[in-house]
Amino acid sequence: AFGLPLAPLVLRATLTATGTPQGSGGNIGPRPNLRSALPALGVPRIALSGSFLPGTSYDVTLNGPAGALYILFRSSSLLNVPFAIPPYGYLLLASPITRLGSGHLDGTGTAVYTNTLPGNSVPGTTFANFQGWQRYGGAGVGAFTNYAPLVVQ
């Protein structure tokens, strides 16, 4: 996912540290919590916020390593089969793809893109799917983010 292999002991320590304690019973260790582990590993991610009502604004937030180069994309649909782009991972968006912006994540590892849903957007439909790409370090060190669908409310 990062363009470099993740050491097994690093992954094990992260899953242990971010997992849910086992509680009573045998000693098999904490239950993995991937929602906590991925940010702890610095995996680039994307999230949407807003009311998602027609005519209102929404934010697309990219998170990753501070200073990382990023590109934000939008598409109306997803690929049936993700397209592998080694060593960065998988592009999930289908053509046509619109490049919304690029730059460097700020000192906190964040970039925010703000826009407004058209007033004639139909509730219950997917307005767009967003995905980002980030490069940190040298060539071949980076990853695609997850994708995030914006469903009109």
Side-chain angles (χ1 to χ4, degrees), residues 33-124:
N33 181 339
L34 293 180
R35 289 192 176 163
S36 295
L38 292 176
L41 288 169
V43 174
R45 59 198 182 285
I46 194 170
L48 302 176
S49 60
S51 67
F52 310 126
L53 295 170
T56 63
S57 66
Y58 63 90
D59 292 332
V60 181
T61 304
L62 290 105
N63 294 103
L69 174 68
Y70 76 87
I71 304 173
L72 176 62
F73 303 102
R74 178 182 73 200
S75 175
S76 60
S77 59
L78 299 171
L79 291 168
N80 291 329
V81 177
F83 183 69
I85 303 178
Y88 300 110
Y90 293 90
L91 177 65
L92 303 170
L93 304 180
S95 292
I97 297 173
T98 303
R99 180 178 168 167
L100 297 176
S102 62
H104 292 273
L105 299 181
D106 66 18
T108 65
T110 303
V112 179
Y113 169 83
T114 301
N115 206 342
T116 302
L117 277 168
N120 62 352
S121 298
V122 179

Coordinates of all heavy atoms in Angstrom, one line a residue, residues 33-124:
N33 N -8.6 -3.7 15.4 CA -9.5 -2.6 15.1 C -8.8 -1.9 13.9 O -8.0 -1.0 14.1 CB -9.7 -1.7 16.3 CG -10.6 -0.6 16.0 OD1 -10.9 -0.2 14.8 ND2 -11.2 0.0 17.0
L34 N -9.2 -2.2 12.7 CA -8.6 -1.6 11.5 C -8.8 -0.2 11.4 O -8.0 0.6 10.9 CB -9.0 -2.4 10.3 CG -8.5 -3.8 10.1 CD1 -9.0 -4.4 8.8 CD2 -7.0 -3.9 10.3
R35 N -10.0 0.3 11.9 CA -10.3 1.8 11.8 C -9.3 2.5 12.7 O -9.0 3.7 12.4 CB -11.7 2.0 12.3 CG -12.7 1.6 11.2 CD -14.0 2.1 11.4 NE -14.8 1.6 10.3 CZ -16.1 1.6 10.3 NH1 -16.8 2.0 11.4 NH2 -16.8 1.1 9.3
S36 N -8.8 1.9 13.7 CA -7.8 2.6 14.6 C -6.4 2.3 14.0 O -5.5 3.2 14.1 CB -7.8 2.1 16.0 OG -9.1 2.5 16.6
A37 N -6.1 1.1 13.5 CA -4.8 0.7 13.1 C -4.3 1.5 11.8 O -3.2 1.9 11.7 CB -4.7 -0.8 12.8
L38 N -5.2 1.7 10.8 CA -4.8 2.3 9.6 C -4.3 3.8 9.8 O -3.2 4.1 9.3 CB -5.9 2.3 8.5 CG -6.2 0.9 8.0 CD1 -7.4 0.9 7.1 CD2 -5.0 0.2 7.4
P39 N -5.0 4.6 10.6 CA -4.4 5.9 10.8 C -3.1 5.9 11.6 O -2.2 6.7 11.4 CB -5.5 6.6 11.6 CG -6.8 5.9 11.3 CD -6.4 4.5 11.0
A40 N -3.0 4.9 12.5 CA -1.8 4.8 13.3 C -0.6 4.4 12.4 O 0.5 4.8 12.7 CB -2.0 3.7 14.4
L41 N -0.9 3.7 11.3 CA 0.2 3.4 10.4 C 0.5 4.5 9.4 O 1.5 4.4 8.7 CB -0.2 2.1 9.6 CG -0.2 0.8 10.4 CD1 -0.8 -0.3 9.6 CD2 1.3 0.4 10.8
G42 N -0.3 5.5 9.4 CA -0.1 6.6 8.5 C -0.6 6.4 7.1 O -0.2 7.0 6.1
V43 N -1.6 5.4 7.0 CA -2.1 5.1 5.7 C -2.9 6.3 5.2 O -3.8 6.8 5.9 CB -3.0 3.9 5.7 CG1 -3.7 3.6 4.4 CG2 -2.2 2.6 6.1
P44 N -2.7 6.8 4.0 CA -3.4 7.9 3.5 C -4.9 7.6 3.4 O -5.3 6.5 3.1 CB -2.9 8.1 2.1 CG -1.6 7.5 2.1 CD -1.7 6.4 3.0
R45 N -5.8 8.6 3.8 CA -7.2 8.3 3.8 C -8.0 9.6 3.4 O -7.4 10.7 3.4 CB -7.7 7.8 5.1 CG -7.4 8.7 6.3 CD -7.5 8.0 7.6 NE -7.3 8.9 8.7 CZ -6.1 9.4 9.1 NH1 -5.0 9.1 8.4 NH2 -6.0 10.2 10.1
I46 N -9.2 9.4 3.0 CA -10.0 10.5 2.5 C -11.4 10.4 3.3 O -11.8 9.2 3.6 CB -10.2 10.4 1.0 CG1 -10.8 11.6 0.4 CG2 -11.0 9.2 0.6 CD1 -10.7 11.7 -1.1
A47 N -12.0 11.5 3.6 CA -13.3 11.5 4.3 C -14.1 12.7 3.8 O -13.5 13.7 3.4 CB -13.1 11.6 5.8
L48 N -15.4 12.5 3.8 CA -16.3 13.5 3.4 C -17.1 14.1 4.6 O -17.4 13.3 5.6 CB -17.4 13.0 2.4 CG -16.8 12.4 1.2 CD1 -18.0 11.8 0.3 CD2 -16.1 13.4 0.4
S49 N -17.4 15.4 4.6 CA -18.2 15.9 5.7 C -19.2 17.0 5.1 O -18.9 17.6 4.0 CB -17.4 16.5 6.8 OG -16.5 17.6 6.3
G50 N -20.3 17.2 5.8 CA -21.3 18.2 5.3 C -22.6 17.6 5.5 O -22.8 16.4 5.9
S51 N -23.7 18.3 5.1 CA -25.0 17.8 5.3 C -25.4 17.0 4.0 O -26.3 16.2 4.1 CB -26.0 18.9 5.5 OG -26.1 19.7 4.3
F52 N -24.7 17.2 2.9 CA -25.0 16.5 1.6 C -26.4 16.8 1.1 O -26.9 16.0 0.3 CB -24.7 15.0 1.7 CG -23.3 14.7 2.3 CD1 -23.2 13.9 3.4 CD2 -22.2 15.3 1.8 CE1 -22.0 13.6 4.0 CE2 -20.9 15.0 2.4 CZ -20.9 14.2 3.5
L53 N -26.9 17.9 1.4 CA -28.2 18.3 0.9 C -28.0 19.1 -0.4 O -27.0 19.9 -0.5 CB -29.0 19.2 1.9 CG -29.4 18.4 3.2 CD1 -29.9 19.4 4.2 CD2 -30.5 17.4 2.9
P54 N -28.9 19.1 -1.4 CA -28.8 19.9 -2.6 C -28.6 21.4 -2.2 O -29.2 21.9 -1.3 CB -30.1 19.6 -3.3 CG -30.6 18.3 -2.8 CD -30.1 18.2 -1.4
G55 N -27.6 22.0 -2.9 CA -27.3 23.4 -2.7 C -26.5 23.7 -1.5 O -26.2 24.9 -1.3
T56 N -26.0 22.7 -0.8 CA -25.1 23.0 0.4 C -23.7 22.6 0.1 O -23.4 21.9 -0.8 CB -25.6 22.2 1.7 OG1 -25.5 20.8 1.4 CG2 -27.0 22.6 2.0
S57 N -22.8 23.1 0.9 CA -21.4 22.9 0.7 C -21.0 21.6 1.4 O -21.6 21.1 2.3 CB -20.5 24.0 1.2 OG -20.6 24.1 2.6
Y58 N -19.9 21.0 0.9 CA -19.3 19.8 1.4 C -17.8 19.9 1.4 O -17.2 20.7 0.6 CB -19.8 18.5 0.7 CG -19.3 18.5 -0.8 CD1 -18.1 17.9 -1.1 CD2 -20.1 19.0 -1.8 CE1 -17.7 17.9 -2.5 CE2 -19.7 19.0 -3.1 CZ -18.5 18.4 -3.4 OH -18.1 18.4 -4.7
D59 N -17.2 19.1 2.3 CA -15.7 19.1 2.3 C -15.2 17.7 2.0 O -15.8 16.7 2.5 CB -15.2 19.5 3.7 CG -15.4 20.9 4.1 OD1 -15.5 21.7 3.1 OD2 -15.6 21.2 5.3
V60 N -14.1 17.6 1.3 CA -13.4 16.4 1.1 C -12.0 16.6 1.8 O -11.3 17.5 1.4 CB -13.1 16.1 -0.4 CG1 -12.4 14.8 -0.6 CG2 -14.5 16.1 -1.2
T61 N -11.7 15.8 2.8 CA -10.5 15.9 3.6 C -9.6 14.8 3.3 O -10.0 13.6 3.4 CB -10.8 16.0 5.1 OG1 -11.8 17.0 5.3 CG2 -9.6 16.2 5.9
L62 N -8.4 15.1 2.9 CA -7.3 14.1 2.7 C -6.4 14.2 3.9 O -6.0 15.2 4.4 CB -6.5 14.4 1.4 CG -7.2 14.2 0.1 CD1 -7.6 15.5 -0.5 CD2 -6.3 13.4 -0.8
N63 N -6.0 13.0 4.4 CA -5.1 12.9 5.5 C -4.0 12.0 5.2 O -4.2 11.0 4.5 CB -5.8 12.4 6.8 CG -6.8 13.4 7.3 OD1 -8.0 13.2 7.2 ND2 -6.3 14.4 8.0
G64 N -2.8 12.3 5.6 CA -1.6 11.4 5.4 C -0.4 12.1 6.0 O -0.5 13.0 6.9
P65 N 0.8 11.7 5.6 CA 2.0 12.3 6.2 C 2.1 13.8 5.9 O 1.9 14.2 4.7 CB 3.1 11.5 5.5 CG 2.5 10.2 5.1 CD 1.1 10.6 4.7
A66 N 2.5 14.6 6.8 CA 2.7 16.0 6.6 C 3.6 16.3 5.5 O 4.7 15.6 5.3 CB 3.2 16.6 7.9
G67 N 3.2 17.2 4.6 CA 4.1 17.6 3.5 C 4.0 16.7 2.3 O 4.6 17.0 1.2
A68 N 3.2 15.6 2.3 CA 3.1 14.7 1.2 C 2.4 15.4 0.0 O 1.5 16.2 0.2 CB 2.2 13.5 1.6
L69 N 2.9 15.1 -1.2 CA 2.3 15.5 -2.4 C 1.0 14.8 -2.6 O 0.9 13.6 -2.3 CB 3.2 15.2 -3.6 CG 2.7 15.5 -5.0 CD1 2.5 17.0 -5.2 CD2 3.6 15.0 -6.0
Y70 N -0.1 15.5 -3.0 CA -1.4 14.8 -3.2 C -2.0 15.3 -4.5 O -1.7 16.4 -5.0 CB -2.3 15.0 -2.0 CG -3.0 16.4 -2.0 CD1 -4.1 16.6 -2.7 CD2 -2.4 17.5 -1.3 CE1 -4.7 17.9 -2.8 CE2 -3.0 18.7 -1.4 CZ -4.1 18.9 -2.1 OH -4.7 20.2 -2.1
I71 N -2.9 14.4 -5.0 CA -3.8 14.7 -6.1 C -5.2 14.2 -5.7 O -5.3 13.1 -5.2 CB -3.4 14.1 -7.5 CG1 -1.9 14.5 -7.8 CG2 -4.3 14.5 -8.6 CD1 -1.4 13.8 -9.0
L72 N -6.2 15.0 -5.9 CA -7.6 14.6 -5.5 C -8.3 14.4 -6.8 O -8.3 15.3 -7.7 CB -8.2 15.7 -4.7 CG -9.7 15.4 -4.3 CD1 -9.9 14.1 -3.5 CD2 -10.3 16.6 -3.6
F73 N -9.0 13.3 -7.0 CA -9.8 13.0 -8.2 C -11.3 12.8 -7.8 O -11.6 12.4 -6.7 CB -9.3 11.6 -8.8 CG -7.9 11.6 -9.1 CD1 -6.9 11.0 -8.3 CD2 -7.4 12.2 -10.3 CE1 -5.6 10.9 -8.6 CE2 -6.1 12.2 -10.6 CZ -5.2 11.5 -9.8
R74 N -12.1 13.0 -8.9 CA -13.6 12.7 -8.7 C -14.0 12.0 -10.0 O -13.6 12.2 -11.1 CB -14.3 14.0 -8.6 CG -15.8 13.9 -8.5 CD -16.6 15.2 -8.5 NE -16.5 15.8 -9.8 CZ -16.8 17.1 -10.0 NH1 -17.0 17.9 -9.0 NH2 -16.7 17.6 -11.2
S75 N -15.0 11.1 -9.8 CA -15.6 10.4 -10.9 C -17.1 10.0 -10.5 O -17.4 9.9 -9.3 CB -14.9 9.0 -11.2 OG -15.5 8.3 -12.1
S76 N -17.9 9.9 -11.5 CA -19.3 9.6 -11.2 C -19.5 8.1 -11.0 O -20.6 7.7 -10.5 CB -20.2 10.0 -12.4 OG -19.8 9.4 -13.6
S77 N -18.5 7.3 -11.3 CA -18.7 5.8 -11.1 C -17.3 5.1 -10.7 O -16.3 5.7 -10.8 CB -19.2 5.2 -12.4 OG -18.3 5.4 -13.5
L78 N -17.5 3.9 -10.3 CA -16.3 3.1 -9.9 C -16.0 2.0 -10.9 O -16.9 1.6 -11.7 CB -16.6 2.4 -8.6 CG -16.8 3.4 -7.4 CD1 -17.3 2.6 -6.2 CD2 -15.6 4.2 -7.1
L79 N -14.8 1.6 -11.0 CA -14.4 0.5 -11.8 C -15.0 -0.8 -11.3 O -15.2 -1.0 -10.1 CB -12.9 0.3 -11.9 CG -12.1 1.4 -12.6 CD1 -10.6 1.3 -12.2 CD2 -12.3 1.4 -14.0
N80 N -15.4 -1.7 -12.2 CA -15.9 -3.1 -11.8 C -14.8 -3.9 -11.2 O -15.0 -4.6 -10.3 CB -16.5 -3.8 -13.0 CG -17.8 -3.2 -13.5 OD1 -18.5 -2.6 -12.7 ND2 -18.0 -3.3 -14.8
V81 N -13.5 -3.7 -11.7 CA -12.3 -4.4 -11.2 C -11.3 -3.3 -11.0 O -10.9 -2.5 -11.9 CB -11.8 -5.4 -12.2 CG1 -10.5 -6.0 -11.7 CG2 -12.8 -6.5 -12.5
P82 N -10.8 -3.1 -9.7 CA -9.8 -2.1 -9.4 C -8.6 -2.2 -10.4 O -8.2 -3.3 -10.7 CB -9.5 -2.3 -8.0 CG -10.7 -3.0 -7.4 CD -11.2 -3.8 -8.5
F83 N -8.1 -1.1 -10.7 CA -6.9 -1.0 -11.6 C -5.6 -0.9 -10.8 O -5.4 0.1 -10.1 CB -7.0 0.1 -12.6 CG -5.9 0.2 -13.6 CD1 -5.8 -0.8 -14.6 CD2 -5.0 1.2 -13.6 CE1 -4.8 -0.7 -15.6 CE2 -4.0 1.3 -14.5 CZ -3.9 0.3 -15.5
A84 N -4.8 -1.9 -10.9 CA -3.5 -1.9 -10.1 C -2.5 -1.0 -10.7 O -2.3 -1.1 -11.9 CB -3.0 -3.3 -10.0
I85 N -1.9 -0.1 -9.9 CA -0.8 0.8 -10.3 C 0.3 0.6 -9.3 O 0.4 1.3 -8.4 CB -1.3 2.2 -10.4 CG1 -2.5 2.4 -11.4 CG2 -0.1 3.1 -10.9 CD1 -3.0 3.7 -11.5
P86 N 1.1 -0.5 -9.6 CA 2.2 -0.7 -8.6 C 3.2 0.4 -8.6 O 3.5 1.0 -9.7 CB 2.9 -2.0 -9.1 CG 1.8 -2.6 -10.1 CD 1.0 -1.5 -10.6
P87 N 3.8 0.8 -7.5 CA 3.6 0.2 -6.2 C 2.6 1.0 -5.4 O 2.6 0.8 -4.1 CB 5.0 0.4 -5.6 CG 5.5 1.7 -6.2 CD 4.9 1.7 -7.6
Y88 N 1.8 1.8 -6.0 CA 0.9 2.7 -5.2 C -0.4 2.1 -4.8 O -1.2 2.7 -4.1 CB 0.7 4.0 -6.0 CG 1.9 4.7 -6.4 CD1 2.4 4.8 -7.6 CD2 2.7 5.3 -5.3 CE1 3.6 5.4 -7.9 CE2 3.8 6.0 -5.6 CZ 4.3 6.0 -6.9 OH 5.5 6.7 -7.2
G89 N -0.8 0.9 -5.3 CA -2.1 0.3 -4.9 C -3.0 0.3 -6.1 O -2.7 0.1 -7.2
Y90 N -4.3 0.6 -5.8 CA -5.4 0.5 -6.8 C -6.2 1.8 -7.0 O -6.6 2.4 -6.1 CB -6.3 -0.6 -6.3 CG -5.7 -2.0 -6.3 CD1 -5.1 -2.4 -5.2 CD2 -5.8 -2.8 -7.4 CE1 -4.5 -3.7 -5.1 CE2 -5.2 -4.0 -7.4 CZ -4.5 -4.5 -6.3 OH -3.9 -5.7 -6.3
L91 N -6.3 2.1 -8.3 CA -7.3 3.1 -8.7 C -8.6 2.5 -8.8 O -8.8 1.5 -9.4 CB -6.9 3.7 -10.1 CG -7.8 4.8 -10.6 CD1 -7.8 6.0 -9.7 CD2 -7.4 5.1 -12.0
L92 N -9.6 3.1 -8.1 CA -11.0 2.6 -8.0 C -12.0 3.3 -8.8 O -13.1 2.8 -9.1 CB -11.4 2.6 -6.5 CG -10.5 1.8 -5.6 CD1 -10.9 2.1 -4.1 CD2 -10.5 0.3 -5.9
L93 N -11.6 4.5 -9.3 CA -12.5 5.4 -10.1 C -12.5 5.0 -11.6 O -11.5 4.7 -12.1 CB -12.1 6.8 -9.9 CG -12.0 7.4 -8.5 CD1 -11.6 8.8 -8.5 CD2 -13.3 7.2 -7.7
A94 N -13.7 5.1 -12.2 CA -13.9 4.8 -13.6 C -13.8 6.1 -14.4 O -14.1 7.2 -13.9 CB -15.2 4.1 -13.8
S95 N -13.5 6.0 -15.7 CA -13.5 7.2 -16.5 C -14.9 7.7 -16.8 O -15.8 6.9 -16.8 CB -12.8 6.8 -17.9 OG -11.5 6.6 -17.7
P96 N -15.1 9.0 -17.0 CA -14.1 10.0 -17.0 C -13.7 10.4 -15.5 O -14.6 10.4 -14.7 CB -14.7 11.2 -17.7 CG -16.2 11.0 -17.5 CD -16.4 9.5 -17.4
I97 N -12.5 10.7 -15.3 CA -12.0 11.1 -14.0 C -11.6 12.6 -14.1 O -10.9 13.0 -15.0 CB -10.8 10.3 -13.6 CG1 -11.2 8.8 -13.4 CG2 -10.2 10.8 -12.3 CD1 -10.0 7.9 -13.2
T98 N -12.0 13.4 -13.1 CA -11.7 14.8 -13.0 C -10.7 15.0 -11.9 O -10.9 14.5 -10.8 CB -13.0 15.6 -12.7 OG1 -14.0 15.4 -13.7 CG2 -12.7 17.1 -12.7
R99 N -9.6 15.7 -12.3 CA -8.6 16.1 -11.3 C -9.1 17.4 -10.6 O -9.2 18.4 -11.3 CB -7.3 16.3 -12.0 CG -6.2 16.7 -11.0 CD -4.9 16.8 -11.8 NE -3.9 17.4 -11.0 CZ -2.6 17.5 -11.3 NH1 -2.2 16.9 -12.4 NH2 -1.7 18.1 -10.5
L100 N -9.4 17.3 -9.3 CA -9.9 18.5 -8.6 C -8.9 19.4 -8.1 O -9.1 20.6 -7.9 CB -10.8 18.0 -7.5 CG -12.1 17.2 -7.9 CD1 -12.8 16.8 -6.7 CD2 -13.0 18.1 -8.8
G101 N -7.7 18.9 -7.7 CA -6.7 19.7 -7.1 C -5.5 18.9 -6.8 O -5.5 17.7 -6.8
S102 N -4.4 19.6 -6.5 CA -3.2 19.0 -6.1 C -2.4 19.9 -5.3 O -2.7 21.1 -5.2 CB -2.4 18.5 -7.3 OG -2.0 19.6 -8.1
G103 N -1.4 19.4 -4.6 CA -0.5 20.3 -3.7 C 0.2 19.4 -2.7 O 0.4 18.3 -2.9
H104 N 0.4 20.0 -1.6 CA 1.1 19.3 -0.5 C 0.2 19.4 0.8 O -0.4 20.4 1.0 CB 2.5 20.0 -0.2 CG 3.5 19.8 -1.2 ND1 4.3 18.7 -1.3 CD2 3.8 20.5 -2.3 CE1 5.0 18.7 -2.4 NE2 4.8 19.9 -3.0
L105 N 0.1 18.3 1.5 CA -0.6 18.3 2.7 C 0.1 19.3 3.7 O 1.3 19.4 3.7 CB -0.6 16.9 3.4 CG -1.3 15.8 2.5 CD1 -1.3 14.5 3.3 CD2 -2.7 16.1 2.2
D106 N -0.7 19.9 4.6 CA -0.1 20.9 5.5 C 0.7 20.2 6.6 O 0.9 19.0 6.6 CB -1.2 21.8 6.0 CG -2.2 21.1 6.9 OD1 -2.0 20.0 7.4 OD2 -3.3 21.7 7.2
G107 N 1.1 21.0 7.6 CA 1.9 20.5 8.6 C 1.3 19.5 9.5 O 1.9 18.7 10.2
T108 N -0.1 19.4 9.5 CA -0.8 18.4 10.3 C -1.1 17.2 9.4 O -1.8 16.3 9.9 CB -2.1 19.0 10.9 OG1 -3.0 19.3 9.8 CG2 -1.8 20.2 11.8
G109 N -0.7 17.2 8.1 CA -1.0 16.1 7.2 C -2.4 16.1 6.7 O -3.0 15.1 6.4
T110 N -2.9 17.3 6.4 CA -4.3 17.5 6.0 C -4.4 18.5 4.8 O -3.7 19.4 4.7 CB -5.2 18.1 7.1 OG1 -5.1 17.2 8.3 CG2 -6.6 18.2 6.8
A111 N -5.3 18.2 3.9 CA -5.8 19.1 2.8 C -7.3 19.0 2.7 O -7.8 17.9 2.8 CB -5.1 18.8 1.5
V112 N -7.9 20.1 2.5 CA -9.4 20.1 2.4 C -9.8 20.8 1.1 O -9.3 21.9 0.8 CB -10.0 20.9 3.6 CG1 -11.5 20.9 3.5 CG2 -9.6 20.2 4.9
Y113 N -10.7 20.1 0.4 CA -11.3 20.6 -0.8 C -12.8 20.9 -0.5 O -13.5 20.0 0.0 CB -11.2 19.6 -1.9 CG -12.0 19.9 -3.2 CD1 -11.5 20.8 -4.1 CD2 -13.2 19.4 -3.4 CE1 -12.3 21.1 -5.3 CE2 -14.0 19.7 -4.5 CZ -13.5 20.5 -5.4 OH -14.2 20.8 -6.6
T114 N -13.3 22.1 -0.7 CA -14.7 22.5 -0.4 C -15.4 22.8 -1.7 O -14.8 23.5 -2.6 CB -14.7 23.7 0.5 OG1 -14.0 23.3 1.7 CG2 -16.1 24.1 0.8
N115 N -16.6 22.4 -1.9 CA -17.4 22.7 -3.0 C -18.9 22.6 -2.6 O -19.2 22.3 -1.5 CB -17.1 21.7 -4.2 CG -17.4 22.3 -5.5 OD1 -18.1 23.3 -5.7 ND2 -16.9 21.7 -6.6
T116 N -19.8 23.0 -3.6 CA -21.2 23.0 -3.3 C -21.9 22.0 -4.2 O -21.6 21.9 -5.4 CB -21.8 24.4 -3.5 OG1 -21.1 25.3 -2.7 CG2 -23.2 24.5 -3.2
L117 N -22.8 21.2 -3.6 CA -23.7 20.3 -4.4 C -24.6 21.2 -5.2 O -25.2 22.1 -4.7 CB -24.5 19.4 -3.5 CG -23.8 18.2 -2.9 CD1 -24.6 17.5 -1.8 CD2 -23.6 17.2 -4.1
P118 N -24.8 20.8 -6.5 CA -25.8 21.5 -7.3 C -27.2 21.5 -6.7 O -27.5 20.5 -6.1 CB -25.8 20.8 -8.6 CG -24.4 20.1 -8.7 CD -24.1 19.8 -7.3
G119 N -27.9 22.6 -6.8 CA -29.3 22.6 -6.2 C -30.2 21.6 -6.8 O -31.2 21.3 -6.1
N120 N -29.9 21.1 -8.0 CA -30.8 20.2 -8.6 C -30.4 18.7 -8.4 O -30.9 17.8 -9.1 CB -31.0 20.4 -10.1 CG -29.6 20.3 -10.9 OD1 -28.6 20.1 -10.2 ND2 -29.7 20.4 -12.2
S121 N -29.5 18.5 -7.4 CA -29.0 17.1 -7.1 C -30.2 16.3 -6.6 O -31.0 16.8 -5.8 CB -27.9 17.1 -6.1 OG -26.8 17.8 -6.6
V122 N -30.3 15.0 -7.0 CA -31.4 14.2 -6.7 C -31.1 13.4 -5.4 O -30.1 12.6 -5.4 CB -31.7 13.2 -7.8 CG1 -32.8 12.3 -7.4 CG2 -32.0 14.0 -9.1
P123 N -31.9 13.5 -4.3 CA -31.6 12.8 -3.1 C -31.6 11.3 -3.3 O -32.4 10.8 -4.2 CB -32.8 13.2 -2.2 CG -33.2 14.5 -2.7 CD -33.0 14.5 -4.2
G124 N -30.7 10.6 -2.6 CA -30.6 9.1 -2.8 C -29.6 8.7 -3.9 O -29.4 7.5 -4.0

